[in-house]
Amino acid sequence: MRFIRTKAAIAVAGLALSLAACGDAGTDNEGVEVEASEDASFEAGTRMAELAEAGTINVGVKYDQPGLGFNETGSDMPTGFDVDIAKILVASLGIDPEDTSKVQYVETISDNREPFLVDGKVDLVLASYSITDERRQVVGQAGPYMLTGQQLLVPEDSEAAGPEDLQGKEVCSVTGSTSLDNAKAQGMKPVGFDTYSQCVDKVLDGTVEAMTTDGTILAGYAAQNEGALKVVGEPFSEERIGVGYSQDYPEMCQWINDTLEAANEDGTWAEAFEANLGASGVETPDFPELDPCES
Amino acid sequence: MEAFINEFPEVLQAFGYTVLLFLCSGVLSLIGGTILVAMRVGPIAVLNKAAATYVTLVRNTPLLMVFFFFQFAAPKIGINLKFVDVHIGSFDFTSFFATAVVALTLYTSTFVCEALRSGVNAVPLGQAEAARAIGLPFSGVMREVVLPQAFRASVPPVASTLIALLKNTSVAAVFGVLEAAAQMKIMTNNHADERWGIFLGVALLYVVLVELVSLVAISFERRWRIA
Amino acid sequence: MTALEHEPRSAGRGEPLVVLTDVQKHFGSLHALKDIDLTVTSGEVVVVIGPSGSGKSTLCRAINRLETIDSGTISLDGQPLPQEGKALAKLRAEVGMVFQSFNLFAHKTILENVTLGPIKVRGLSKSAAETKARELLDRVGVGHQADKYPAQLSGGQQQRVAIARALAMEPKVMLFDEPTSALDPEMIKEVLDVMVDLAHRGMTMIVVTHEMGFARTAADRVVFMADGAIVEENTPEQFFTNPTSDRAKDFLGKILKH
């Protein structure tokens, strides 16, 4: 089951890209626009060929993380960096990523990402999905397409500059997330809520001193609440954000890596980063080194 | 099961919060429910109405909404429990624990009230009349005669209510309390490959706790059966 | 001083103790008490008889306000019945009540049943209340059952305990609402004996009953009720031998035939 690299490369090269800075719908976060590859072709029998043939795909993304995966109430097209990377992958299959009758951007939360992949409810997960050894026991994870670290989001007038200033203080994050565990390891008291936006509320109303999770997520909230919240401190953990797929289809790994690599080479990756996370003052980093796929 | 065993101290600590949430809200709910039922069956019309309205309103609201109210709405109108800040051993009792206790108590009290009311209704009217006839005031009639018998009659429904409370404490997991359900989420998130073992372990401990509550209820039923 | 030491009775010649004036009571469309005027004097034993549904139980229950009345006045020892509250509770303590279905407190022992009122209402010490309770229980013949629960006693025993419970409050008047109607025939006598004894000791009593024998031997006055109204009042002898109203004649004809 050899993957035809040349054809995939051509497929990616065929993506028409443009940075949608015009903000036509009044939103300032349109991400990148990618069009379906017209000459997508995969070796028969692969999952990619099946998906391309079917012309439909389900992608798990977050709905509550501005800048990464965020869905306005009532919209069926989420926005964010994760979503844009998802679109690049979808487009490479020859499916129009903007056509929500063909692509379903399903909301996944931290808890259901593995079950959704294992049960086949989604084909891909791009939901600030950290690559870990434990997860790789259950699902496939390709990438990473982004490196982030856990930081702190505090009120604008807070004097805290890092975990050392918040020893024994209550810090909010999503219940069950690795961020909470890390916060505990850093000497802070973890307080778990259902969503990041609820934590933002708790920081704004002063119940907790800070919230913590990946810096990119925090940057999105800081941008949303400019003048009220700020991101502080050096990252105190390293998260490698990757793409989840089902272990039933190991061939997807190489396709994902190749597509990501191509998006890096033609600049789409950087544009997507810039468009989604640039506004919050984060500099576009270097493209991370991809984990090799086991063959 | 490996992660569950390795992290058993954390699991126990988390179940400690579950038990403490249960005990605090349980005792307060029994008191609150008793006060509510006294208001409902008492002779003062205003209190009847107030208690009935409260029970209808809160009992018909999902517990999650009650939590939401106290975590997100109440602070905006100046109601918060930030002054709560007690630390005993490895347990922290801050505004999140206090808020959970308040939400669980206000919610569970309504169910205790209704369970007790079924008990009060099971006490023959003649008992209250005889108590009034010897000159006991309403409070005495309730305290000496009606409620003791109502409590006996309502042990099974009250036990069910308390068992529901024990499981309802898990709602606090997403409102800032690191109790059993929150710990389970941490573990399943960290050990995606051991989900089933972790689920089973936590479920088993819940079953043990519920069974303990049932046993206590049964022993009360036995002890009070003589009369 | 205990309830054991009442003055010998001087039948019907005391002060007015219970006075009902123009009392009216409706249950929906049913006129349950109609123009009731009744005065019971201290030491008097009044037996209220009448067909069922005649309002005699309602009358009895109205006297300690277990039933409210629509209009009219009821006064006890010169004081009108208060509305709900502490004052009413205080007044009820002065009126002993014995129910058809005994209504002993099911969760308390016989002794506790009798001591509850004296301790909680009269403020007696536990030991004083128990001493007195045991005296009363001995007097009604159930002293040896003091530590049992009501459900362990026969109906007759329970009713005698109920009488002791009421007497423990040292009431000014005792109300009996069909005290023997729920009893098996062989137990009726033991309860009536206690009541007769009580009457002989000078207790003011208002007794709703179907026991004509008791009315003949113990009553100073018989009040006959029908359809919510008092139809006839007389001495037992006059009433049973020479009733004046048709309703009373009819009623007596029915019950005395057998």
Side-chain angles (χ1 to χ4, degrees):
Chain A
M1 215 200 291
R2 281 304 307 169
F3 185 73
I4 304 165
R5 282 164 198 245
T6 45
K7 284 198 175 173
I10 294 164
V12 173
L15 299 176
L17 310 156
S18 73
L19 208 159
C22 45
D24 47 317
T27 52
D28 55 357
N29 184 6
E30 284 294 305
V32 294
E33 273 182 20
V34 286
E35 279 177 16
S37 163
E38 285 172 7
D39 52 355
S41 115
F42 299 93
E43 188 175 321
T46 62
R47 182 63 181 157
M48 290 76 80
E50 283 173 30
L51 290 168
E53 173 75 19
T56 59
I57 186 166
N58 296 324
V59 185
V61 296
K62 293 230 165 158
Y63 271 22
D64 66 337
Q65 295 179 5
L68 290 175
F70 187 76
N71 202 25
E72 296 273 349
T73 316
S75 164
D76 55 359
M77 176 52 77
T79 57
F81 183 61
D82 283 346
V83 178
D84 281 352
I85 299 296
K87 287 181 184 174
I88 291 169
L89 290 165
V90 169
S92 83
L93 294 169
I95 303 170
D96 179 4
E98 304 291 337
D99 184 350
T100 50
S101 67
K102 299 201 165 106
V103 188
Q104 276 214 34
Y105 295 97
V106 180
E107 182 180 17
T108 50
I109 58 166
S110 297
D111 259 355
N112 62 21
R113 291 174 298 197
E114 291 88 19
F116 272 26
L117 281 171
V118 170
D119 300 344
K121 283 185 184 144
V122 296
D123 302 296
L124 295 171
V125 164
L126 292 97
S128 60
Y129 200 13
S130 311
I131 297 173
T132 69
D133 290 343
E134 285 89 353
R135 286 178 183 153
R136 277 189 163 157
Q137 302 284 319
V138 201
V139 297
Q141 290 188 308
Y145 59 89
M146 178 169 62
L147 298 182
T148 73
Q150 193 171 336
Q151 286 175 288
L152 294 163
L153 184 73
V154 297
E156 190 67 37
D157 57 359
S158 168
E159 284 171 11
E164 61 281 358
D165 298 325
L166 294 168
Q167 293 300 300
K169 296 280 167 55
E170 289 179 322
V171 171
C172 188
S173 196
V174 165
T175 300
S177 67
T178 329
S179 309
L180 271 192
D181 255 10
N182 291 338
K184 198 171 163 191
Q186 292 284 329
M188 298 176 278
K189 293 261 163 74
V191 167
F193 273 79
D194 203 22
T195 62
Y196 291 111
S197 43
Q198 290 176 356
C199 278
V200 173
D201 241 35
K202 292 281 104 183
V203 177
L204 286 172
D205 77 17
T207 320
V208 293
E209 313 252 340
M211 71 176 280
T212 180
T213 185
D214 294 346
T216 44
I217 297 174
L218 298 181
Y221 284 118
Q224 242 185 11
N225 298 278
E226 221 175 329
L229 299 173
K230 62 179 181 187
V231 180
V232 296
E234 290 298 309
F236 52 90
S237 74
E238 193 197 62
E239 302 293 333
R240 303 162 67 245
I241 307 299
V243 182
Y245 59 93
S246 166
Q247 279 187 340
D248 294 344
Y249 312 112
E251 69 274 17
M252 291 177 95
C253 177
Q254 196 60 55
W255 159 65
I256 293 165
N257 273 4
D258 290 344
T259 311
L260 291 174
E261 190 60 56
N264 174 39
E265 280 167 15
D266 66 17
T268 333
W269 179 85
E271 280 172 32
F273 193 97
E274 179 67 28
N276 289 296
L277 300 164
S280 47
V282 183
E283 277 187 34
T284 306
D286 292 335
F287 186 74
E289 192 179 326
L290 298 174
D291 290 352
C293 293
E294 292 166 23
S295 45
Chain B
M1 237 21 208
E2 200 185 323
F4 187 77
I5 291 155
N6 288 343
E7 293 175 26
F8 201 64
E10 280 84 359
V11 175
L12 280 188
Q13 161 99 8
F15 267 101
Y17 275 116
T18 296
V19 169
L20 288 168
L21 277 177
F22 169 71
L23 289 178
C24 294
S25 342
V27 169
L28 292 174
S29 298
L30 289 176
I31 296 170
T34 306
I35 294 170
L36 277 176
V37 81
M39 286 167 69
R40 277 206 85 164
V41 302
I44 302 168
V46 180
L47 295 182
N48 286 174
K49 282 249 166 59
T53 308
Y54 175 80
V55 168
T56 308
L57 209 68
V58 178
R59 192 167 64 134
N60 295 350
T61 307
L63 177 58
L64 200 67
M65 299 302 221
V66 181
F67 266 91
F68 256 104
F69 176 80
F70 282 100
Q71 276 298 355
F72 298 109
K76 293 201 168 52
I77 52 171
I79 302 170
N80 63 52
L81 299 166
K82 272 186 249 174
F83 55 87
V84 181
D85 194 22
V86 182
H87 307 274
I88 301 167
S90 58
F91 291 99
D92 302 306
F93 305 100
T94 62
S95 70
F96 297 102
F97 186 86
T99 305
V101 168
V102 168
L104 287 167
T105 299
L106 292 181
Y107 180 77
T108 311
S109 295
T110 63
F111 289 90
V112 172
C113 167
E114 291 305 281
L116 290 179
R117 202 162 64 94
S118 76
V120 169
N121 289 341
V123 178
L125 188 63
Q127 294 285 312
E129 285 191 341
R132 282 151 72 196
I134 59 167
L136 286 171
F138 174 74
S139 60
V141 173
M142 289 302 280
R143 195 174 53 239
E144 298 295 334
V145 176
V146 177
L147 285 178
Q149 295 187 59
F151 282 134
R152 281 152 213 239
S154 44
V155 166
V158 167
S160 299
T161 301
L162 290 179
I163 286 168
L165 167 65
L166 177 57
K167 296 187 285 183
N168 282 343
T169 56
S170 60
V171 173
V174 289
F175 292 93
V177 183
L178 217 177
E179 48 64 78
Q183 180 63 30
M184 186 188 79
K185 280 189 153 208
I186 290 177
M187 290 166 69
T188 52
N189 194 48
N190 286 348
H191 308 281
D193 49 334
E194 293 185 43
R195 272 170 188 272
W196 284 111
I198 294 161
F199 277 143
L200 280 178
V202 171
L204 207 69
L205 286 179
Y206 267 113
V207 170
V208 169
L209 285 184
V210 168
E211 213 37 51
L212 281 176
V213 175
S214 307
L215 285 176
V216 171
I218 288 168
S219 85
F220 269 108
E221 256 183 279
R222 287 233 177 90
R223 191 187 311 169
W224 283 345
R225 194 173 290 164
I226 334 145
Chain C
M1 296 301 264
T2 74
L4 299 173
E5 295 163 38
H6 277 288
E7 293 293 310
R9 62 198 294 228
S10 48
R13 259 184 263 142
E15 298 294 307
L17 190 56
V18 180
V19 181
L20 291 83
T21 316
D22 194 24
V23 171
Q24 311 286 344
K25 163 89 185 174
H26 290 82
F27 287 116
S29 62
L30 178 73
H31 203 164
L33 293 179
K34 212 180 285 176
D35 314 324
I36 301 289
D37 289 296
L38 180 69
T39 301
V40 178
T41 54
S42 178
E44 197 181 7
V45 176
V46 173
V47 168
V48 183
I49 63 175
S52 44
S54 58
K56 52 195 195 306
S57 272
T58 308
L59 174 73
C60 185
R61 290 162 57 82
I63 292 170
N64 69 352
R65 214 168 186 277
L66 287 177
E67 297 289 355
T68 55
I69 55 174
D70 299 341
S71 63
T73 56
I74 300 175
S75 65
L76 183 84
D77 214 2
Q79 296 198 335
L81 279 189
Q83 298 291 310
E84 290 291 333
K86 286 266 189 290
L88 177 62
K90 206 172 157 205
L91 178 130
R92 278 177 177 149
E94 307 294 333
V95 180
M97 176 100 187
V98 175
F99 299 86
Q100 180 177 348
S101 50
F102 331 136
N103 294 350
L104 294 181
F105 306 129
H107 62 302
K108 291 190 180 289
T109 64
I110 298 306
L111 189 65
E112 288 167 343
N113 262 277
V114 183
T115 59
L116 180 68
I119 293 173
K120 296 292 172 187
V121 179
R122 293 279 192 238
L124 256 63
S125 73
K126 192 164 179 258
S127 61
E130 284 184 357
T131 310
K132 182 169 151 186
R134 286 185 192 281
E135 250 177 334
L136 283 167
L137 288 171
D138 284 340
R139 179 169 139 200
V140 298
V142 286
H144 55 294
Q145 314 274 27
D147 297 319
K148 291 188 177 167
Y149 283 91
Q152 295 167 293
L153 269 59
S154 74
Q157 290 171 324
Q158 288 193 52
Q159 194 61 299
R160 284 184 278 153
V161 174
I163 293 170
R165 177 175 69 180
L167 289 176
M169 297 302 291
E170 298 183 3
K172 290 176 178 161
V173 54
M174 287 279 285
L175 307 175
F176 292 82
D177 184 6
E178 302 199 23
T180 55
S181 300
L183 294 175
D184 292 336
E186 75 270 22
M187 293 173 183
I188 291 176
K189 187 174 179 295
E190 65 190 54
V191 172
L192 288 179
D193 284 349
V194 171
M195 290 169 62
V196 169
D197 176 61
L198 204 56
H200 286 309
R201 286 168 188 261
M203 175 58 78
T204 311
M205 295 163 70
I206 299 173
V207 184
V208 174
T209 188
H210 294 298
E211 295 299 327
M212 297 307 144
F214 175 80
R216 276 178 202 273
T217 54
D220 296 311
R221 180 151 52 116
V222 171
V223 171
F224 176 72
M225 285 184 76
D227 297 329
I230 295 178
V231 177
E232 187 169 345
E233 283 185 71
N234 222 325
T235 61
E237 188 169 321
Q238 280 293 315
F239 179 78
F240 287 112
T241 54
N242 192 15
T244 53
S245 66
D246 291 343
R247 292 299 302 264
K249 283 176 191 158
D250 183 46
F251 176 72
L252 288 173
K254 276 177 187 155
I255 59 164
L256 295 178
K257 232 168 227 169
H258 302 287

